[in-house]
Amino acid sequence: MELIAIIEGVDCLPPVLSTELPKRSNNRETLTEFVVANLGDSSGLSPYLIVRTENDDLVFYKPSLVPANADHGSSRRLQLFRESNHVLPKSPSGGVSSQIQKQQRLRPLRVLPNVSGLSTIFMPGASSSFVFKTAKSSPHIIRLRGGFTRWLSSFDSADTGCENGFIYVDSQSCIRACQLPSQTQFDHSWTLRKVPIEEQVDFLAYSTSSETYVLGTSHQGDFKLPEGDDLHPEWRNEELSFCPKIPESSIKVVSPKTWTIVDSYPLDPDEQVTAVKNVNIEVSENTHERRDLIVVGTAIAKGEDMPARGTIYVFDVIKVAPDPEKPETGRKLKLIGKESVKGAVTALSGIGGQGFIIVAQGQKCMVRGLKEDGSLLPVAFMDMQCYVNVAKELKGTGMVILGDAVKGLWFAGYSEEPYRMTLFGKDPEYLEVVAADFLPDGNKLYMLVADSDCNLHVLQYDPEDPKSSNGDRLLSRSKFYTGNFASSVTLLPRTAVSSEFPESSEEAMDVDETFAKHQVLIASQNGSLALVTSVAEESYRRLSALQSQLINTVDHPAGLNARAFRAIESDGAAGRGMVDGNLLRLWLNMGKQRQAEIAGRVGATEWEIKADLETIGGDGLGYL
């Protein structure tokens, strides 16, 4: 046996482990486990050193042979390079004794050589998770849903239908045999599956009543001159062998059980889908019955010389007798209501507490209610200016934001006695609104607006501020350059992360829930996702100071300026800046000594910084 290398100072967790003597350091991590295993898929396996700390942090090191110095004795020497890992472990739930916490962390890592073709490692305990690596990605963590895991092992049994799977015992002492879902990609921290539709998907909504997905799709079709035009009778006899192409739209229902299209509703050739929403609507004026229905808005544009028109469709996804060979076909679209309107329908949303909808049609926004004869009766309206492409209500309040693609954002309210739309405030900068939504934070009301220049604006409605002119002006609180063209901005509920739970059940009775209850998910046209979360004042100061330290000390790619990248040219009245989560997470990749030095400059402990990073991470989407 030949000794190749002796490496010291592993408990400092430096970016590179080598045979060189490490620098003296008083900050060392308590390490509990070391595992060397192959990670990868059928395309190739790579050896990795996985280090586990006493707090369930996992650190990945990839070994590599590099050219050695002349005095080394051999031509090559061993080095281990640290891979990025931005996933923080979960803190044990409140009320769990320290002895139980210790027992949870004593369970060792399990090496699983074949789980659906992947060679992986599983970490049991409170932060139950797999370590995956594919040919397209570096090692990353995907958590196992549920509480802590007592035990897990590979399980391969063709008789039980669980081939190349795993079996584990959960926190409730239940045995579960599982398989990784087929046709699913594990290249990222979120699992991904691509479903072929064979058409361009323009809009998507989830039907809560039928538990299916309703899509607004389009495909290229042949354009033909209308035969019923009395002004041009010669068009009827015209024959074209090479027709131009135009998009043709349709409404489709997709079953999440098989991810196949179970029903389709075609639209006219010159009719384009502009909005698809799942809205709780009152369907009876007598019984006031309300149901979750699918509302579709369309635009009919035939040319510059003809005014645009629109149509509002109201569908219900009903149960029907399925095909015996295809049980998923037990759902079908049923047209409940239809209304043709002047002007293209460009945006819609539910509004108020009576089951009405607000529809942006042409240069007006109208509140409409569904009648029993299938028509949509207008009850209130508001005149707009150019092109309304955003209509979002803060659910259950009657407050709504209306985004104009040219004239900025309008904040309005809807009252039911009497039926009336009232304008509260406007955006004074006339932003070119692409997407927007609310972001309530305690007793403060903010609005997030994505414009056509890839900028994200934070506006606030505060009538008590003298600068707002009694609320007529929406105040600009922050601006942030995202670098991506946003396609949607959606308000989501937020769950508490593990660091926000009280340490014991006795303290939970005395401590108010001060964590943020909402966050905003931003989807971009290049496929990237972003999450915006409001934080407490103390956390913001720590994170802002940490960001300043990282900008000045970390080597940025290609020497680019991270501060200037997120900055926006403005008049200087943009208020406080937003902190960049991607930049802040670089602190997690540093060695123990470097982390302690930067935390000392910030004036915070390492635990406080990790808790703040967990707050702004994706763990607030606990219901997913």
Side-chain angles (χ1 to χ4, degrees):
M1 184 174 62
E2 179 184 357
L3 180 64
I4 297 178
I6 298 178
I7 299 176
E8 300 180 6
V10 180
D11 51 356
C12 296
L13 301 179
V16 180
L17 290 174
S18 66
T19 54
E20 298 179 0
L21 293 178
K23 297 180 181 179
R24 292 186 177 181
S25 173
N26 296 325
N27 296 282
R28 297 179 180 270
E29 188 71 69
T30 302
L31 306 181
T32 59
E33 194 172 357
F34 295 83
V35 171
V36 176
N38 288 325
L39 298 177
D41 53 15
S42 57
S43 300
L45 299 175
S46 301
Y48 279 88
L49 169 66
I50 292 92
V51 181
R52 185 182 184 182
T53 70
E54 65 172 350
N55 301 318
D56 279 349
D57 278 310
L58 292 180
V59 183
F60 312 129
Y61 282 99
K62 183 177 182 178
S64 178
L65 290 175
V66 298
N69 298 328
D71 57 350
H72 189 265
S74 63
S75 60
R76 312 183 88 180
R77 59 193 177 97
L78 178 67
Q79 285 190 347
L80 293 97
F81 296 90
R82 182 172 174 176
E83 301 274 351
S84 299
N85 177 27
H86 298 146
V87 179
L88 291 167
K90 290 184 179 180
S91 301
S93 302
V96 179
S97 64
S98 58
Q99 184 177 1
I100 297 178
Q101 296 178 19
K102 186 176 181 180
Q103 292 177 357
Q104 292 179 9
R105 286 172 175 158
L106 285 176
R107 292 174 173 82
L109 299 174
R110 299 301 304 268
V111 179
L112 307 175
N114 185 6
V115 178
S116 298
L118 294 169
S119 179
T120 179
I121 290 178
F122 179 78
M123 179 176 66
S127 302
S128 303
S129 52
F130 287 93
V131 179
F132 287 115
K133 180 190 178 300
T134 66
K136 302 178 183 178
S137 68
S138 58
H140 55 277
I141 291 176
I142 297 181
R143 285 181 176 150
L144 183 66
R145 182 177 296 182
F148 74 91
T149 303
R150 299 178 182 271
W151 168 86
L152 182 140
S153 177
S154 57
F155 185 64
D156 186 8
S157 174
D159 297 335
T160 59
C162 185
E163 297 185 17
N164 296 327
F166 58 92
I167 187 170
Y168 71 97
V169 181
D170 61 11
S171 58
Q172 304 298 326
S173 298
C174 295
I175 298 177
R176 301 179 184 271
C178 305
Q179 274 184 311
L180 296 181
S182 60
Q183 300 179 356
T184 304
Q185 300 179 16
F186 297 92
D187 301 329
H188 312 282
S189 298
W190 282 21
T191 58
L192 175 66
R193 179 176 180 179
K194 292 184 178 181
V195 179
I197 303 295
E198 306 300 337
E199 293 188 13
Q200 177 176 313
V201 179
D202 300 316
F203 297 93
L204 180 146
Y206 180 72
S207 174
T208 55
S209 60
S210 63
E211 297 181 346
T212 57
Y213 291 94
V214 180
L215 310 180
T217 65
S218 62
H219 66 279
Q220 295 296 318
D222 293 335
F223 172 76
K224 296 182 180 179
L225 295 172
E227 298 180 357
D229 195 330
D230 296 334
L231 297 178
H232 301 278
E234 68 276 7
W235 288 355
R236 302 172 187 174
N237 301 323
E238 187 170 354
E239 295 183 1
L240 295 178
S241 59
F242 186 73
C243 298
K245 300 292 184 179
I246 61 170
E248 296 181 357
S249 298
S250 61
I251 309 298
K252 299 184 185 299
V253 179
V254 176
S255 171
K257 297 179 181 179
T258 59
W259 295 111
T260 56
I261 299 173
V262 297
D263 191 31
S264 180
Y265 185 92
L267 301 177
D268 293 338
D270 52 0
E271 192 172 11
Q272 308 299 322
V273 177
T274 55
V276 178
K277 291 290 181 66
N278 180 80
V279 185
N280 187 261
I281 299 179
E282 181 182 282
V283 296
S284 175
E285 300 173 89
N286 300 323
T287 62
H288 300 289
E289 178 190 358
R290 297 175 64 171
R291 294 207 305 265
D292 290 340
L293 303 176
I294 297 295
V295 183
V296 178
T298 66
I300 303 173
K302 294 186 177 181
E304 298 179 356
D305 57 338
M306 300 182 67
R309 295 182 294 111
T311 306
I312 307 167
Y313 296 89
V314 181
F315 293 101
D316 190 9
V317 185
I318 62 173
K319 287 185 178 181
V320 294
D323 186 346
E325 298 180 356
K326 298 179 179 180
E328 71 275 3
T329 58
R331 294 288 181 178
K332 190 176 181 65
L333 284 170
K334 179 183 178 182
L335 185 62
I336 302 295
K338 180 180 179 181
E339 185 77 20
S340 297
V341 298
K342 294 181 179 180
V345 177
T346 54
L348 54 86
S349 173
I351 193 171
Q354 295 183 348
F356 291 171
I357 59 174
I358 182 170
V359 181
Q361 51 183 84
Q363 293 179 326
K364 291 183 181 293
C365 282
M366 287 194 175
V367 179
R368 293 177 175 268
L370 180 64
K371 297 181 66 176
E372 295 189 4
D373 60 357
S375 61
L376 292 162
L377 180 68
V379 297
F381 76 95
M382 175 180 287
D383 289 321
M384 303 301 292
Q385 291 190 345
C386 294
Y387 182 88
V388 179
N389 58 349
V390 174
K392 296 282 186 71
E393 186 214 17
L394 187 58
K395 191 172 183 179
T397 63
M399 294 184 290
V400 62
I401 53 175
L402 304 170
D404 194 297
V406 180
K407 295 295 184 180
L409 192 77
W410 293 22
F411 176 47
Y414 165 70
S415 60
E416 296 170 343
E417 294 181 3
Y419 295 126
R420 184 176 59 185
M421 291 284 295
T422 305
L423 179 63
F424 293 151
K426 289 184 180 182
D427 160 37
E429 298 183 11
Y430 294 105
L431 300 174
E432 296 179 357
V433 180
V434 173
D437 209 334
F438 288 98
L439 179 58
D441 181 23
N443 58 355
K444 299 179 180 179
L445 183 60
Y446 297 96
M447 301 136 198
L448 263 65
V449 183
D451 66 10
S452 59
D453 293 326
C454 301
N455 300 324
L456 187 65
H457 302 259
V458 180
L459 307 179
Q460 183 186 10
Y461 176 72
D462 186 6
E464 297 181 358
D465 193 311
K467 298 180 181 179
S468 67
S469 300
N470 295 324
D472 293 340
R473 296 164 58 93
L474 298 178
L475 302 175
S476 177
R477 294 306 190 192
S478 184
K479 299 179 181 180
F480 187 81
Y481 179 71
T482 62
N484 302 311
F485 195 83
S487 57
S488 67
V489 176
T490 307
L491 177 67
L492 296 176
R494 180 181 179 273
T495 58
V497 299
S498 59
S499 60
E500 294 173 335
F501 286 116
E503 295 182 358
S504 64
S505 57
E506 291 79 7
E507 295 180 9
M509 301 175 63
D510 301 329
V511 177
D512 295 331
E513 295 184 351
T514 57
F515 60 87
K517 305 297 192 304
H518 302 89
Q519 54 192 354
V520 170
L521 180 68
I522 303 174
S524 303
Q525 289 189 356
N526 62 357
S528 62
L529 296 174
L531 202 62
V532 178
T533 307
S534 57
V535 296
E537 179 66 23
E538 294 181 0
S539 298
Y540 176 80
R541 291 180 179 179
R542 282 193 295 266
L543 293 176
S544 181
L546 176 61
Q547 179 174 271
S548 299
Q549 291 292 329
L550 292 175
I551 288 176
N552 296 328
T553 58
V554 173
D555 294 331
H556 301 286
L560 298 177
N561 190 332
R563 182 181 285 110
F565 173 64
R566 297 301 187 184
I568 298 177
E569 295 183 5
S570 63
D571 55 2
R576 309 176 74 176
M578 296 177 67
V579 293
D580 186 356
N582 288 342
L583 178 61
L584 294 172
R585 292 192 300 180
L586 296 179
W587 181 80
L588 297 173
N589 297 333
M590 296 181 173
K592 190 69 177 177
Q593 177 68 19
R594 193 78 182 278
Q595 285 184 349
E597 291 176 0
I598 293 182
R601 298 174 193 170
V602 172
T605 63
E606 296 179 33
W607 283 106
E608 289 175 333
I609 294 178
K610 287 186 177 181
D612 293 337
L613 293 178
E614 185 184 22
T615 300
I616 64 174
D619 290 345
L621 301 174
Y623 44 85
L624 297 180

